[in-house]
Every structure is written in structure tokens, then in C-alpha cells.
Amino acid sequence: MAHLSAAAASVSASAVIPPLNRTFVQLGKLFHGSSLLKFHSNSLFFSSTPRSRQLRFVSSAIEGKILGSNEVSQEEAVSLYSWPDKKRPRVCILGGGFGGLYTALRLDSLTWPDDKKPQVILVDQSERFVFKPMLYELLTGEVDAWEIAPRFSDLLVNTAVQFLKDRVKILSPCDHLGINGPTTVSGSGGTVQLESGLVIEYDWLVLSLGAEPKLDVIPGAVEFAFPFSTLNDACKVNEKLTKLERENFGKKNPIRVVVVGLGYSGVELAATVSERLEGKGVVQAISVDSSILPNAPSGNKEAALKVLNTRKVELLLGYFVRRIGKSGDFRSSIEKSEVEEKVNDSEKLIIEVQANEKGAKSQLLEADLVLWTVGNKPLLPQLEPNGWPFELPVTGRGQAETDETLQVKGHPRIFAVGDSSTLRDSKGKVLPATAQVAFQQADFAGWNIWAAINNRPLLPFRFQNLGEMMVLGRNDAAITPSFIEGLTLEGPIGHTARKLAYLIRLPTDEHRVKVGISWLAKSAVDSIATVQSNITKVLSGS
């Protein structure tokens, strides 16, 4: 009796007897010999004598129909989240990235009738929101962690949004029960079970769980490559670089860094790391494409190439990585001789790469650090039970399919934004998984939930491409705005414009003010230091 599967629902009076008869027959078989069985109107509680552990089956009333079943371990205690108000709508937002947090803030900022303002709970596995486009500045010391990774509790302190640190375990949608009926009828839209055992019953759900790096595509990547997607990733990379800098201080052998992927993240990492090493290291960047930034505007591409060439980043274009391992793991005689020519340390990392050309031989690259920026996988939760109509429609990449109002197809109570969703623009092209798209989707998702609750028509999402930005080092960046054809801001001007654009995009007014003051103070200190350095050079020269 290690696991138990039972119906997690309460039903209306007209439909109570048949479902409960079936449930008790099943439970009688499963709990043969159990010490205690209690029934309550809204929940089923079961206690078993070993260790006095209690199992709870949280239920909800949806037009007298069973919602589904949750498989609960005997070691788990499942409890129902208690919403403060029993009448006002309940909105659960899963994921606190750009899509999730900004949807919550949008909902809180809208004007609501007193009896319809929703209760909003935001769930994320981390206690901090991460402004991902500025993670690179952590490596150069331009920003502090609190500036780009504030706590959710601090950001939401002046709002009615509740925050819960937890991880999603099971999603049980039930809005499919009324697919052919109105989407604004009262009643639960389903439940979300968290890893802590807490079950949240919701009326409206927003999926914004984002994605995580996909490392398990080649041998050795999981064990030896560093992703760069979260605050924890950035801190680990920074610690590794600091350690390498200390170990190689005063030595002639350069630090060797290999970046896999030359999309925006790979180019920004290669430019940032090469500037940080300042001649103490060698950066090599690998891309399966024949050029860097294949989908970027020409202005950004040219600016990036100029910076990478100036900093002597070695580009391996048209190559793919076959495997990553320690030099001692390359066992064949040919491989071993090639590796020994490069390095005598069996703990050094070796990357095997091969050109896309037919018949090309593989090459071996030595590395002290491998940074991985290729591929990601969405983090949609497991569904229970499996099978139509409970399942969400997902693409081959694991993203929820939505219509133009950002509602998941077939589920009018569920919205999906950011990396959790897939949506095409008016030309049929899939929208990119970028912060800019998530920003804009959050505004529409918040408005459309307002419209659904207030029986108003929902708005179709229309993405407006405002341009593309990238950082290329401590005082270098490139910005290509879409509204001025042929214009690209580069160098210090682009860098300043990018920081101002992101300062405006920070989540709350309070946080923007704090960060703005901090950046102004740092800029003043840097300016004074630059002036003093120039004066010193002039005096020493005279």
C-alpha cells in the first residue's frame, strides 16, 4: 500500500450516492484493515496506524462531477489551501518569471468591482524573481544580485498578491467539463497539487513555468557543462571563473573557456567572459550554424562580430559538439595520443567537435570551463489523470497550445504565457521565447482574465516587436530598434540605452527607484575613478 489512487472530488447533492458508492467500494479494497475511516462533506480523510500518518483527499464541487484522481504517497500529508474570501474569484499563477509576475502585478493594478476583484496567489520554486537579460552583468560586477534578483515578498509587499514558495507536482484541470458552455460561470476551474502536499483550488489558472536548459543531448554535458539561465547558474559560473583566476594567477597557461551556442545568450556570454579575462584566457565559441545570431538584425550581428573579433574570441562556425569529458575518459589509442599532446592533466575537460561537412574528422578542444547555451525544455507539470479530456494540448516541444487570446485550447479557464506556451504571429511564424514577448503577453493575460470575470470580450494578443538588445561587455552593447530602420546603437551609447530600457522594465516603481539610485551612485564612483586614473597617467607621463 505504498501508493494510493482515489477520486479527489466532492459532488452536488443530486449526484452524491453513485460516485460515493463506487469510491467506498474501491477504498474498502485498498484500505482493508485500516484503523480509521472518516467522511466529511468537503474532504475524505484517512488515517493509518503506522506512524499515525494521515492521508487527505482534497475535493471540490464542479456541477456534481468527479474531477479526477491524485496519486498520493502514504508518507504525504495533503491539505487544501484556504482562500481568504469564499466568494471572490481565485486566480492561481504558476511561475514567477516575466509572464507570471507581471500578470500578477497587472491584475492587481486593474480597477475591479468590489465583489469581483480576484484573490491572486503566485507560486514559484524560488524566493527571488530574476531579471534574466541582466544576468551577464553579474559576471562583470556591474550589478548586485538584489538589483536584478529581488525577493518576491519585497516586490509584492504593497499589493494584494500572495506569494508561495513551492514546486508544482500535479495539475488537474476540470474546465473541460464546460467547454461548450459559457466560460464565466461560477465554479472551480481545477486544482494544483504542490510538492509540499498543498492543493490549491482555482477558478482561473496562469501557466508561466518557463523552461530549463536542455543538457542531456550529448554525452557529458549534464556532468561537465555549466548552463546560464538562473541566478544560481550565474553565481556558479562566477564562482568557477573566480576560482580559475586565482589558480592561474602568475601562470603562463591561459584559462580556456568554451561557449556552446552562438545565439544571443552564447554571444553575450562569449563577449562578457572574454572581456573579464582580459588576456588571461582564451574563449572559443561553437555554433552549428554558419554564422552567429542567425535570426538577429544585421546591425546587432555586425556589432557583435566586431566586438568578438577585437577580443580575439575564436569562432568555430558550422561545428557541432559530439561529447564532453575529462581527458582521462578518452580511451582509444588515437584519442589518447591526441589528448596527451594537448594536456597531461587527466582531469582537464576535452570537447569533441566535428564540422558539418561530410567526412570531416572530429577535433578535440581543451577547456577549463564549458558554458552551455543551446536548447531548453518547458516545465509544464504532470497531469492527473492522463487521458482526454484532462490533458492539455501541447506541442512536440512540450509547450501548451493557446489561441490568440492566450487561453489554452479546450481549456477556457487556463491561460499560458512565456516559455510555457506557443503562439504564432499574423504571418504564421512562431513567436520567440524572449522576455519581450512574455512582457507583452502578461499585459494581455491580466486584461483577459479581467474581461472574462466581468463578462467582457477577450482581446486577441498582438505582439509588437520593439527591437532587439544585447550586452557585449561592461561598457558595450548593441540595440536595434524596430521603429527606426537601419539604426543600431553600439558601444557605450548602446550600453547606457539598454540599461535605461531595462530599468524602466523592472517590476515595481519602488524597485526601480532603489535600483536607479544604486546605478547612479555606481556611475558617479566609476566616473571619479576614471578621472583620477587619467590624471595619474598624465602626471606620470610628464
Side-chain angles (χ1 to χ4, degrees):
M1 197 173 61
H3 291 81
L4 170 68
S5 181
S10 67
V11 294
S12 63
S14 62
V16 167
I17 302 302
L20 283 182
N21 283 342
R22 291 194 296 270
T23 302
F24 278 117
V25 168
Q26 294 174 351
L27 293 173
K29 295 177 181 179
L30 289 168
F31 278 87
H32 181 67
S34 296
S35 59
L36 180 63
L37 174 64
K38 297 181 180 180
F39 171 70
H40 296 268
S41 60
N42 290 325
S43 307
L44 294 177
F45 297 86
F46 297 91
S47 296
S48 55
T49 47
R51 302 184 185 178
S52 299
R53 293 199 180 270
Q54 188 178 62
L55 297 178
R56 290 184 176 183
F57 293 85
V58 183
S59 62
S60 53
I62 306 294
E63 301 178 347
K65 298 185 180 182
I66 297 297
L67 301 185
S69 61
N70 290 338
E71 186 175 291
V72 183
S73 169
Q74 192 174 1
E75 298 295 314
E76 291 180 289
V78 180
S79 59
L80 182 65
Y81 174 75
S82 178
W83 292 92
D85 193 303
K86 304 302 180 183
K87 296 182 179 179
R88 290 194 290 122
R90 303 163 297 181
V91 178
C92 179
I93 300 176
L94 302 180
F98 290 112
L101 175 63
Y102 286 65
T103 298
L105 293 173
R106 175 67 166 157
L107 286 169
D108 191 73
S109 69
L110 293 170
T111 301
W112 297 86
D114 291 339
D115 60 336
K116 289 187 176 181
K117 183 171 183 179
Q119 306 162 89
V120 181
I121 185 169
L122 176 67
V123 181
D124 195 272
Q125 62 187 10
S126 171
E127 66 178 0
R128 294 177 180 271
F129 163 73
V130 181
F131 201 93
K132 290 187 177 182
M134 298 198 74
L135 280 176
Y136 309 96
E137 278 85 335
L138 283 177
L139 301 182
T140 60
E142 277 188 83
V143 301
D144 296 321
W146 70 267
E147 295 171 345
I148 62 167
R151 288 183 172 84
F152 286 109
S153 56
D154 294 333
L155 294 174
L156 300 173
V157 67
N158 294 321
T159 71
V161 179
Q162 298 297 310
F163 171 69
L164 184 62
K165 181 184 176 183
D166 212 327
R167 188 188 295 264
V168 181
K169 183 178 181 182
I170 297 173
L171 172 61
S172 301
C174 62
D175 53 348
H176 56 275
L177 296 175
I179 282 179
N180 297 322
T183 63
T184 56
V185 295
S186 61
S188 172
T191 60
V192 174
Q193 181 178 328
L194 307 178
E195 284 193 350
S196 64
L198 188 66
V199 174
I200 301 175
E201 188 177 34
Y202 63 84
D203 298 313
W204 306 92
L205 182 70
V206 179
L207 295 175
S208 180
L209 292 163
E212 65 180 7
K214 190 174 182 180
L215 295 172
D216 56 351
V217 291
I218 63 162
V222 173
E223 296 85 356
F224 303 115
F226 283 69
F228 198 84
S229 176
T230 67
L231 177 63
N232 188 46
D233 293 339
C235 291
K236 287 182 178 179
V237 171
N238 187 54
E239 290 171 2
K240 180 65 175 179
L241 284 171
T242 302
K243 181 181 178 182
L244 290 171
E245 287 167 339
R246 289 173 180 170
E247 291 176 348
N248 282 53
F249 182 76
K251 297 181 180 179
K252 294 183 179 180
N253 293 332
I255 299 169
R256 295 186 175 275
V257 178
V258 173
V259 179
V260 181
L262 279 170
Y264 270 110
S265 183
V267 169
E268 289 175 299
L269 266 179
T272 301
V273 172
S274 62
E275 181 187 54
R276 171 170 170 164
L277 294 178
E278 293 180 346
K280 297 176 293 186
V282 175
V283 176
Q284 295 173 297
I286 305 167
S287 176
V288 71
D289 294 304
S290 58
S291 66
I292 69 169
L293 302 171
N295 299 316
S298 59
N300 277 12
K301 188 180 299 186
E302 291 170 6
L305 276 172
K306 183 168 61 176
V307 169
L308 294 177
N309 290 332
T310 300
R311 295 179 188 160
K312 298 181 180 179
V313 175
E314 183 181 344
L315 302 178
L316 284 80
L317 303 177
Y319 283 80
F320 63 93
V321 179
R322 295 188 61 182
R323 60 171 166 162
I324 304 172
K326 293 183 178 180
S327 59
D329 298 332
F330 287 72
R331 298 300 183 187
S332 75
S333 59
I334 297 178
E335 289 176 338
K336 193 170 182 180
S337 63
E338 290 181 11
V339 170
E340 287 176 350
E341 289 180 6
K342 291 179 175 292
V343 59
N344 294 321
D345 186 355
S346 62
E347 295 298 308
K348 278 281 188 179
L349 293 179
I350 298 295
I351 299 96
E352 182 180 358
V353 300
Q354 185 171 337
N356 291 331
E357 300 172 1
K358 187 176 180 180
K361 293 184 178 180
S362 61
Q363 300 179 33
L364 301 179
L365 307 177
E366 177 190 350
D368 297 295
L369 173 64
V370 179
L371 300 176
W372 189 270
T373 69
V374 180
N376 57 61
K377 52 185 177 182
L379 294 174
L380 287 181
Q382 173 188 352
L383 296 178
E384 181 68 27
N386 293 319
W388 192 91
F390 291 87
E391 290 182 346
L392 297 183
V394 295
T395 66
R397 296 188 65 247
Q399 296 170 299
E401 294 183 1
T402 65
D403 60 25
E404 61 180 3
T405 65
L406 303 180
Q407 289 174 300
V408 175
K409 291 181 179 179
H411 292 269
R413 297 288 188 126
I414 304 177
F415 291 80
V417 296
D419 291 340
S420 291
S421 69
T422 182
L423 189 65
R424 296 181 181 273
D425 61 18
S426 57
K427 298 179 180 179
K429 185 178 180 181
V430 176
L431 294 176
T434 63
Q436 183 182 178
V437 172
F439 282 141
Q440 297 182 32
Q441 286 181 332
D443 283 339
F444 276 79
W447 172 262
N448 281 346
I449 291 174
W450 181 95
I453 292 173
N454 289 283
N455 297 315
R456 300 289 186 85
L458 276 60
L459 295 176
F461 175 69
R462 293 292 181 265
F463 173 61
Q464 290 185 314
N465 185 6
L466 302 177
E468 298 183 17
M469 301 187 292
M470 62 188 307
V471 68
L472 296 169
R474 187 174 180 86
N475 293 299
D476 214 331
I479 299 180
T480 301
S482 61
F483 46 85
I484 304 178
E485 187 175 353
L487 174 65
T488 299
L489 301 178
E490 303 178 41
I493 295 176
H495 189 270
T496 301
R498 176 180 173 274
K499 289 190 74 172
L500 287 174
Y502 282 148
L503 179 64
I504 295 171
R505 276 296 188 178
L506 290 177
T508 65
D509 291 338
E510 295 84 355
H511 190 61
R512 278 192 287 272
V513 170
K514 292 178 182 178
V515 173
I517 293 173
S518 176
W519 287 357
L520 282 174
K522 290 177 182 177
S523 178
V525 171
D526 289 342
S527 297
I528 293 172
T530 301
V531 170
Q532 289 177 336
S533 176
N534 291 335
I535 292 174
T536 302
K537 289 180 180 178
V538 171
L539 293 177
S540 62
S542 61

